[in-house]
Amino acid sequence: MWRYEKRLQYPVNIKRPDARMAKVIISQMGGPDGELAASQRYLSQRYAMPWRDAMAVLTDIGTEELNHLEIISTILRQLTRDLSAEDIQAQGFADYFVDHTTGLWPQSAGGVPFSAMAFQSKGDPVTDLHEDMAAEQKARTTYDNLLRLVDDPDVLDPLRFLREREIVHYQRFGEALRNVTDRLDARNFYQCNPAFDP
């Protein structure tokens, strides 16, 4: 079971609301390479992982992705608080506002709602870990794209932190994949060569 600390992994303190930024950052909430998809991918895949150390990596990173979802949600909330009707119109947020006001609803920057189709859980350790490494690289690219579009230092700071965590996750999944493939290679060797089985 998890112990939940009621604080963000990284602080968010945005002074200037900006719905234009929220409109693109929302992809990291509910887009195909966002934090919601990542958390569900890893926490679903962990159950089919045959080795506890690799399962632990999936659990750790999946749980951290839930915290990243909280960070993104906090960014979005602070970017959309206290907007006037004129701000909403001028900043291109009216389409979202009509359906959700300024409530948080997972979707991509293009307005496509979140779907479980945004992630895979295949049940094969090698396939799933390759999927996870690719997902972390896609998320890093999305953060790179956001960093090119955002100019507010209060928003840039947590986005940079989140981007760096994608790199760390990619490395941890790479280590888990090496451990899994080493075990599978050894298992296949001993199955084909029973005389060498220790």
Side-chain angles (χ1 to χ4, degrees), residues 95-119:
D95 293 348
Y96 182 91
F97 181 82
V98 166
D99 291 330
H100 309 291
T101 317
T102 58
L104 298 183
W105 191 72
Q107 69 175 44
S108 70
V112 177
F114 175 77
S115 164
M117 296 303 291
F119 69 90

Side-chain angles (χ1 to χ4, degrees), residues 5 19 26 35 73 97 117 142 162 165 171 183 185-186:
E5 293 181 26
I26 201 163
E35 304 296 355
S73 297
F97 181 82
M117 296 303 291
T142 302
L162 291 167
R165 294 307 299 162
Q171 292 167 340
R183 286 181 184 127
D185 289 345

Side-chain angles (χ1 to χ4, degrees), residues 24-137:
V24 294
I25 291 171
I26 201 163
S27 236
Q28 281 305 83
M29 179 187 187
D33 305 312
E35 304 296 355
L36 179 57
S39 67
Q40 298 309 295
R41 174 186 302 110
Y42 309 144
L43 294 174
S44 296
Q45 289 174 353
R46 69 178 295 282
Y47 292 99
M49 186 57 64
W51 294 285
R52 298 208 44 88
D53 57 335
M55 182 189 288
V57 170
L58 289 162
T59 303
D60 291 348
I61 295 175
T63 303
E64 185 177 343
E65 299 291 7
L66 289 171
N67 192 272
H68 295 175
L69 182 61
E70 286 185 301
I71 293 170
I72 290 294
S73 297
T74 302
I75 291 170
L76 293 169
R77 181 65 189 138
Q78 290 182 15
L79 286 173
T80 59
R81 72 177 180 273
D82 303 325
L83 292 173
S84 68
E86 294 78 24
D87 292 335
I88 289 165
Q89 285 280 39
Q91 295 177 19
F93 204 63
D95 293 348
Y96 182 91
F97 181 82
V98 166
D99 291 330
H100 309 291
T101 317
T102 58
L104 298 183
W105 191 72
Q107 69 175 44
S108 70
V112 177
F114 175 77
S115 164
M117 296 303 291
F119 69 90
Q120 283 293 327
S121 181
K122 204 67 163 169
D124 177 83
V126 173
T127 302
D128 281 347
L129 289 167
H130 275 286
E131 163 81 13
D132 301 341
M133 291 175 70
E136 292 298 324
Q137 287 301 311

Side-chain angles (χ1 to χ4, degrees), residues 130-197:
H130 275 286
E131 163 81 13
D132 301 341
M133 291 175 70
E136 292 298 324
Q137 287 301 311
K138 290 186 282 184
R140 181 201 47 81
T141 300
T142 302
Y143 280 117
D144 286 343
N145 293 340
L146 289 172
L147 291 169
R148 289 182 187 101
L149 298 174
V150 171
D151 59 0
D152 184 336
D154 293 339
V155 180
L156 285 169
D157 194 41
L159 291 179
R160 284 188 186 114
F161 168 79
L162 291 167
R163 180 196 180 278
E164 292 306 311
R165 294 307 299 162
E166 304 299 344
I167 294 167
V168 171
H169 294 171
Y170 176 81
Q171 292 167 340
R172 287 199 61 206
F173 283 134
E175 292 165 6
L177 178 62
R178 282 188 295 280
N179 290 336
V180 164
T181 54
D182 287 349
R183 286 181 184 127
L184 291 172
D185 289 345
R187 181 190 293 173
N188 290 339
F189 174 80
Y190 291 124
Q191 286 176 348
C192 295
N193 302 286
F196 292 100
D197 197 349

